[in-house]
mmCIF file of all heavy atoms in Angstrom:
data_model
loop_
_atom_site.group_PDB
_atom_site.id
_atom_site.type_symbol
_atom_site.label_atom_id
_atom_site.label_comp_id
_atom_site.label_asym_id
_atom_site.label_seq_id
_atom_site.Cartn_x
_atom_site.Cartn_y
_atom_site.Cartn_z
ATOM 1 N N GLY Z 471 -2.128 -43.342 6.146
ATOM 2 C CA GLY Z 471 -0.744 -43.610 5.684
ATOM 3 C C GLY Z 471 -0.188 -44.911 6.188
ATOM 4 O O GLY Z 471 0.970 -45.224 5.963
ATOM 5 N N ASP Z 472 -0.966 -45.675 6.993
ATOM 6 C CA ASP Z 472 -0.509 -47.001 7.437
ATOM 7 C C ASP Z 472 0.839 -46.915 8.140
ATOM 8 O O ASP Z 472 1.819 -47.544 7.744
ATOM 9 C CB ASP Z 472 -0.471 -47.977 6.277
ATOM 10 C CG ASP Z 472 -0.242 -49.377 6.748
ATOM 11 O OD1 ASP Z 472 -0.529 -49.658 7.941
ATOM 12 O OD2 ASP Z 472 0.256 -50.195 5.937
ATOM 13 N N GLY Z 473 0.904 -46.085 9.182
ATOM 14 C CA GLY Z 473 2.137 -45.969 9.949
ATOM 15 C C GLY Z 473 3.095 -44.909 9.467
ATOM 16 O O GLY Z 473 4.178 -44.778 10.046
ATOM 17 N N ASP Z 474 2.745 -44.136 8.440
ATOM 18 C CA ASP Z 474 3.627 -43.064 7.992
ATOM 19 C C ASP Z 474 3.737 -42.008 9.071
ATOM 20 O O ASP Z 474 2.724 -41.655 9.729
ATOM 21 C CB ASP Z 474 3.025 -42.470 6.700
ATOM 22 C CG ASP Z 474 3.866 -41.276 6.237
ATOM 23 O OD1 ASP Z 474 5.030 -41.492 5.945
ATOM 24 O OD2 ASP Z 474 3.301 -40.179 6.172
ATOM 25 N N VAL Z 475 4.952 -41.481 9.333
ATOM 26 C CA VAL Z 475 5.186 -40.538 10.423
ATOM 27 C C VAL Z 475 4.359 -39.276 10.219
ATOM 28 O O VAL Z 475 3.739 -38.740 11.162
ATOM 29 C CB VAL Z 475 6.672 -40.207 10.537
ATOM 30 C CG1 VAL Z 475 6.904 -39.118 11.553
ATOM 31 C CG2 VAL Z 475 7.449 -41.471 10.933
ATOM 32 N N ARG Z 476 4.333 -38.730 9.011
ATOM 33 C CA ARG Z 476 3.572 -37.511 8.769
ATOM 34 C C ARG Z 476 2.098 -37.718 9.013
ATOM 35 O O ARG Z 476 1.400 -36.846 9.498
ATOM 36 C CB ARG Z 476 3.827 -37.001 7.326
ATOM 37 C CG ARG Z 476 3.258 -35.624 7.095
ATOM 38 C CD ARG Z 476 3.577 -35.141 5.665
ATOM 39 N NE ARG Z 476 5.005 -35.010 5.452
ATOM 40 C CZ ARG Z 476 5.714 -35.832 4.699
ATOM 41 N NH1 ARG Z 476 5.122 -36.822 4.040
ATOM 42 N NH2 ARG Z 476 7.019 -35.678 4.552
ATOM 43 N N GLY Z 477 1.593 -38.900 8.636
ATOM 44 C CA GLY Z 477 0.198 -39.191 8.875
ATOM 45 C C GLY Z 477 -0.130 -39.377 10.332
ATOM 46 O O GLY Z 477 -1.303 -39.312 10.735
ATOM 47 N N ALA Z 478 0.851 -39.593 11.160
ATOM 48 C CA ALA Z 478 0.643 -39.773 12.605
ATOM 49 C C ALA Z 478 0.637 -38.431 13.348
ATOM 50 O O ALA Z 478 0.495 -38.401 14.555
ATOM 51 C CB ALA Z 478 1.712 -40.676 13.200
ATOM 52 N N LEU Z 479 0.821 -37.316 12.624
ATOM 53 C CA LEU Z 479 0.839 -36.005 13.234
ATOM 54 C C LEU Z 479 -0.404 -35.226 12.800
ATOM 55 O O LEU Z 479 -0.861 -35.340 11.673
ATOM 56 C CB LEU Z 479 2.116 -35.243 12.823
ATOM 57 C CG LEU Z 479 3.447 -35.886 13.224
ATOM 58 C CD1 LEU Z 479 4.592 -35.079 12.618
ATOM 59 C CD2 LEU Z 479 3.584 -35.979 14.729
ATOM 60 N N GLN Z 480 -0.864 -34.353 13.673
ATOM 61 C CA GLN Z 480 -1.948 -33.460 13.357
ATOM 62 C C GLN Z 480 -1.803 -32.183 14.198
ATOM 63 O O GLN Z 480 -1.146 -32.180 15.244
ATOM 64 C CB GLN Z 480 -3.302 -34.101 13.613
ATOM 65 C CG GLN Z 480 -3.614 -34.342 15.077
ATOM 66 C CD GLN Z 480 -5.021 -34.878 15.322
ATOM 67 O OE1 GLN Z 480 -5.762 -35.096 14.365
ATOM 68 N NE2 GLN Z 480 -5.391 -35.051 16.569
ATOM 69 N N THR Z 481 -2.452 -31.119 13.768
ATOM 70 C CA THR Z 481 -2.415 -29.834 14.508
ATOM 71 C C THR Z 481 -3.357 -29.906 15.681
ATOM 72 O O THR Z 481 -4.541 -30.218 15.506
ATOM 73 C CB THR Z 481 -2.799 -28.668 13.573
ATOM 74 O OG1 THR Z 481 -1.914 -28.635 12.486
ATOM 75 C CG2 THR Z 481 -2.720 -27.369 14.334
ATOM 76 N N GLN Z 482 -2.862 -29.652 16.866
ATOM 77 C CA GLN Z 482 -3.656 -29.642 18.087
ATOM 78 C C GLN Z 482 -3.399 -28.377 18.851
ATOM 79 O O GLN Z 482 -2.285 -27.871 18.917
ATOM 80 C CB GLN Z 482 -3.325 -30.877 18.938
ATOM 81 C CG GLN Z 482 -3.627 -32.204 18.261
ATOM 82 C CD GLN Z 482 -3.385 -33.368 19.205
ATOM 83 O OE1 GLN Z 482 -3.396 -33.235 20.416
ATOM 84 N NE2 GLN Z 482 -3.163 -34.559 18.602
ATOM 85 N N GLN Z 483 -4.459 -27.864 19.513
ATOM 86 C CA GLN Z 483 -4.350 -26.631 20.283
ATOM 87 C C GLN Z 483 -3.730 -26.935 21.651
ATOM 88 O O GLN Z 483 -4.032 -27.956 22.276
ATOM 89 C CB GLN Z 483 -5.736 -25.990 20.498
ATOM 90 C CG GLN Z 483 -6.433 -25.593 19.196
ATOM 91 C CD GLN Z 483 -5.663 -24.490 18.468
ATOM 92 O OE1 GLN Z 483 -5.219 -24.669 17.352
ATOM 93 N NE2 GLN Z 483 -5.559 -23.341 19.124
ATOM 94 N N ARG Z 484 -2.849 -26.039 22.102
ATOM 95 C CA ARG Z 484 -2.172 -26.202 23.341
ATOM 96 C C ARG Z 484 -2.117 -24.867 24.102
ATOM 97 O O ARG Z 484 -2.125 -23.781 23.491
ATOM 98 C CB ARG Z 484 -0.750 -26.687 23.140
ATOM 99 C CG ARG Z 484 -0.639 -28.092 22.584
ATOM 100 C CD ARG Z 484 -0.968 -29.148 23.617
ATOM 101 N NE ARG Z 484 -0.716 -30.506 23.151
ATOM 102 C CZ ARG Z 484 -1.604 -31.338 22.645
ATOM 103 N NH1 ARG Z 484 -2.868 -30.914 22.502
ATOM 104 N NH2 ARG Z 484 -1.259 -32.551 22.279
ATOM 105 N N HIS Z 485 -2.081 -24.960 25.414
ATOM 106 C CA HIS Z 485 -1.825 -23.791 26.273
ATOM 107 C C HIS Z 485 -0.345 -23.793 26.652
ATOM 108 O O HIS Z 485 0.275 -24.847 26.825
ATOM 109 C CB HIS Z 485 -2.660 -23.890 27.556
ATOM 110 C CG HIS Z 485 -4.114 -23.921 27.334
ATOM 111 N ND1 HIS Z 485 -4.934 -22.797 27.197
ATOM 112 C CD2 HIS Z 485 -4.978 -24.989 27.211
ATOM 113 C CE1 HIS Z 485 -6.168 -23.149 27.017
ATOM 114 N NE2 HIS Z 485 -6.243 -24.491 27.001
ATOM 115 N N ALA Z 486 0.209 -22.609 26.799
ATOM 116 C CA ALA Z 486 1.602 -22.461 27.213
ATOM 117 C C ALA Z 486 1.731 -21.254 28.112
ATOM 118 O O ALA Z 486 1.118 -20.191 27.833
ATOM 119 C CB ALA Z 486 2.540 -22.342 26.024
#
Side-chain angles (χ1 to χ4, degrees):
D472 189 23
D474 177 61
V475 173
R476 189 178 298 108
L479 301 174
Q480 68 175 3
T481 302
Q482 299 184 22
Q483 299 295 119
R484 294 285 189 262
H485 300 273

